[in-house]
Amino acid sequence: MSILLFELLVIIVTLGILTYMKTSGHKDVMKKFGIMFIAVLLFQIMSEPMWINQNLSSWAYLYGNVSWLLAFGWISIFFLSFLIVDSGFKKISEKGKFWLYLIVATILTVPAEILILKLGIRSYADVLSQTFSGLTIPGTLVPIEVLLAVPLISALIIPFYKYILNHWN
């Protein structure tokens, strides 16, 4: 897969998820998208020194290492997690759903991380890679630490998103 094809795929998947949400009765889809975009973007800005996002087209970056395109990828992962958990586990409490969101987001992120590592879009800063155990997810280049990092990242972004969404008038 080429970088341009990856970039187009991320945009198409994101638009597809937003279209699905709109046509399946979800309310305030663009408001939700905007809030999640801000949540992901804030995290990307704060964590920018930890990873190196490179080789995307110049139009895919907001500044430096921060990519709106990769933010769209994260938004797709989070919205897919919400759609899967909310439709499949309707009777579970919000607290229970939170833990399921983290699990589903992690499961969805691993193949995406495999792809962006393979394409040379993502690498890890020395300050981060020096802390890795050296173990990878079997059959991949993905450090095993991703299985801890994704739920931690998600545990910051999802509550921020949910709080703003529920308190924005």
Side-chain angles (χ1 to χ4, degrees):
M1 175 183 287
S2 73
I3 302 284
L4 182 58
L5 184 58
F6 170 80
E7 293 166 337
L8 293 174
L9 182 65
V10 170
I11 293 168
I12 290 167
V13 167
T14 303
L15 291 174
I17 291 167
L18 294 175
T19 301
Y20 171 79
M21 289 172 66
K22 278 188 163 193
T23 59
S24 64
H26 292 266
K27 294 181 172 133
D28 301 321
V29 173
M30 292 315 293
K31 175 181 165 183
K32 291 175 181 177
F33 176 80
I35 294 168
M36 184 60 81
F37 184 75
I38 291 167
V40 169
L41 196 61
L42 286 173
F43 182 81
Q44 281 188 330
I45 290 167
M46 290 186 318
S47 65
E48 180 188 16
M50 295 192 310
W51 12 77
I52 301 162
N53 299 320
Q54 57 195 7
N55 298 324
L56 293 169
S57 299
S58 60
W59 51 263
Y61 294 95
L62 289 174
Y63 80 95
N65 211 14
V66 177
S67 167
W68 64 265
L69 187 86
L70 293 178
F72 275 26
W74 275 109
I75 292 166
S76 294
I77 287 169
F78 287 126
F79 282 0
L80 274 174
S81 299
F82 298 156
L83 290 168
I84 291 167
V85 172
D86 292 346
S87 67
F89 301 92
K90 293 178 183 178
K91 295 184 180 187
I92 291 181
S93 69
E94 196 63 29
K95 183 178 178 181
K97 286 180 181 181
F98 173 75
W99 296 107
L100 290 173
Y101 295 146
L102 300 183
I103 292 167
V104 173
T106 302
I107 291 167
L108 294 173
T109 299
V110 170
E113 193 73 10
I114 291 168
L115 182 59
I116 62 176
L117 285 170
K118 184 178 179 184
L119 290 172
I121 294 169
R122 163 80 44 85
S123 60
Y124 305 104
D126 287 340
V127 68
L128 185 61
S129 61
Q130 290 171 1
T131 67
F132 291 163
S133 65
L135 300 173
T136 59
I137 296 173
T140 76
L141 300 172
V142 178
I144 198 80
E145 288 80 5
V146 164
L147 298 177
L148 177 62
V150 172
L152 289 174
I153 293 166
S154 301
L156 295 172
I157 292 173
I158 292 170
F160 176 87
Y161 164 80
K162 293 275 188 175
Y163 180 82
I164 299 298
L165 183 64
N166 291 326
H167 291 86
W168 187 326
N169 294 324

